[in-house]
């Protein structure tokens, strides 16, 4: 039990040596360990801060790129809408121009057909008058063969033709 009592009893010499060893340990640690440990911690802290700053910058750049891309997409959509609107307007203009041209061509064709019909009508009436005049002269010649001379016959035929209706 003597050993147990010596462990529990206070020994001031041992306490002083322990205090000296502790102070020496603190001095050695302060000189060789605390400096490198604190500088490593400070370096690590600055590296983390730089990484966080770079991450924040990258996030801000990504947000800016996203905003730029969104603006470019909206602009492209607006341009596409404008192109479609212009194409529709151009198609409407071309359709209307084609309709106008077709109407003009149809009117010209109708006018040509009307003029052609009128010309053929005039030719037919002229031929009919000539035929009627020839028939009338032939009939009148048979009836009046010996009573009227050729000049008087021609005058009668001309008067007969003039008396015919024009249509």
């Amino acid at each position: 039990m003597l050993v147990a009592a010596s462990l529990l009893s206070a020994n001031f010499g041992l306490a002083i040596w322990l205090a000296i060893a502790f102070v020496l340990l603190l001095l050695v640690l302060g000189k060789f360990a605390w400096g490198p440990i604190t500088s490593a911690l400070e370096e690590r802290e600055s590296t983390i801060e730089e990484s966080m700053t770079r991450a924040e910058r990258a996030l801000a750049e990504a947000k800016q790129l996203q905003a730029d891309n969104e603006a470019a997409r909206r602009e492209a959509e607006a341009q596409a809408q404008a192109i479609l609107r212009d194409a529709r307007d151009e198609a409407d203009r071309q359709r209307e121009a084609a309709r106008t041209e077709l109407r003009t061509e149809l009117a010209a064709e109708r006018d040509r057909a009307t003029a052609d019909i009128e010309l053929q009508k005039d030719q037919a009436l002229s031929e009919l008058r000539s035929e009627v005049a020839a028939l009338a002269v032939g009939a009148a010649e048979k009836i009046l063969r010996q009573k009227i001379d050729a000049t008087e016959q021609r005058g009668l035929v001309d008067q007969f033709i003039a008396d015919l209706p024009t249509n």
Side-chain angles (χ1 to χ4, degrees), residues 77-102:
E77 284 178 358
Q79 287 176 351
Q81 292 297 327
I83 289 169
L84 285 174
R85 187 173 42 253
D86 291 345
R88 281 189 210 114
D89 292 346
E90 182 62 26
D92 289 343
R93 278 192 294 274
Q94 287 180 357
R95 188 179 315 116
E96 191 58 38
R99 283 181 185 161
T100 302
E101 184 179 342
L102 181 62

Side-chain angles (χ1 to χ4, degrees), residues 63-141:
K63 285 182 179 179
Q64 183 61 41
L65 281 174
Q66 184 179 11
D68 292 345
N69 287 342
E70 183 67 22
R73 184 190 58 79
R74 274 185 260 133
E75 183 179 337
E77 284 178 358
Q79 287 176 351
Q81 292 297 327
I83 289 169
L84 285 174
R85 187 173 42 253
D86 291 345
R88 281 189 210 114
D89 292 346
E90 182 62 26
D92 289 343
R93 278 192 294 274
Q94 287 180 357
R95 188 179 315 116
E96 191 58 38
R99 283 181 185 161
T100 302
E101 184 179 342
L102 181 62
R103 286 182 189 130
T104 303
E105 288 176 11
L106 287 175
E109 188 65 32
R110 187 176 347 129
D111 291 344
R112 281 192 296 271
T114 303
D116 197 24
I117 290 170
E118 202 56 43
L119 180 65
Q120 289 178 3
K121 177 181 161 187
D122 289 345
Q123 287 176 350
L125 283 176
S126 176
E127 289 175 9
L128 182 63
R129 284 186 183 138
S130 296
E131 190 67 32
V132 167
L135 287 174
V137 167
E141 183 180 334

Side-chain angles (χ1 to χ4, degrees), residues 3-165:
V3 175
S6 67
L7 284 178
L8 294 177
S9 65
N11 188 348
F12 288 110
L14 181 63
I16 290 176
W17 282 110
L18 281 174
I20 291 173
F22 184 71
V23 169
L24 284 175
L25 179 66
L26 285 177
L27 287 175
V28 169
L29 283 175
K31 182 166 179 129
F32 295 109
W34 289 113
I37 289 173
T38 55
S39 67
L41 286 175
E42 287 173 359
E43 184 180 322
R44 175 80 175 149
E45 182 182 354
S46 68
T47 304
I48 290 172
E49 284 180 12
E50 285 178 26
S51 295
M52 288 180 65
T53 305
R54 281 193 307 245
E56 288 172 356
R57 253 187 272 131
L59 179 63
E61 288 175 6
K63 285 182 179 179
Q64 183 61 41
L65 281 174
Q66 184 179 11
D68 292 345
N69 287 342
E70 183 67 22
R73 184 190 58 79
R74 274 185 260 133
E75 183 179 337
E77 284 178 358
Q79 287 176 351
Q81 292 297 327
I83 289 169
L84 285 174
R85 187 173 42 253
D86 291 345
R88 281 189 210 114
D89 292 346
E90 182 62 26
D92 289 343
R93 278 192 294 274
Q94 287 180 357
R95 188 179 315 116
E96 191 58 38
R99 283 181 185 161
T100 302
E101 184 179 342
L102 181 62
R103 286 182 189 130
T104 303
E105 288 176 11
L106 287 175
E109 188 65 32
R110 187 176 347 129
D111 291 344
R112 281 192 296 271
T114 303
D116 197 24
I117 290 170
E118 202 56 43
L119 180 65
Q120 289 178 3
K121 177 181 161 187
D122 289 345
Q123 287 176 350
L125 283 176
S126 176
E127 289 175 9
L128 182 63
R129 284 186 183 138
S130 296
E131 190 67 32
V132 167
L135 287 174
V137 167
E141 183 180 334
K142 287 181 185 177
I143 295 172
L144 301 172
R145 186 163 279 189
Q146 287 142 3
K147 297 182 183 174
I148 305 175
D149 65 2
T151 330
E152 289 177 356
Q153 285 179 3
R154 195 64 180 143
L156 285 172
V157 168
D158 288 340
Q159 184 179 358
F160 178 73
I161 290 174
D163 289 343
L164 283 177

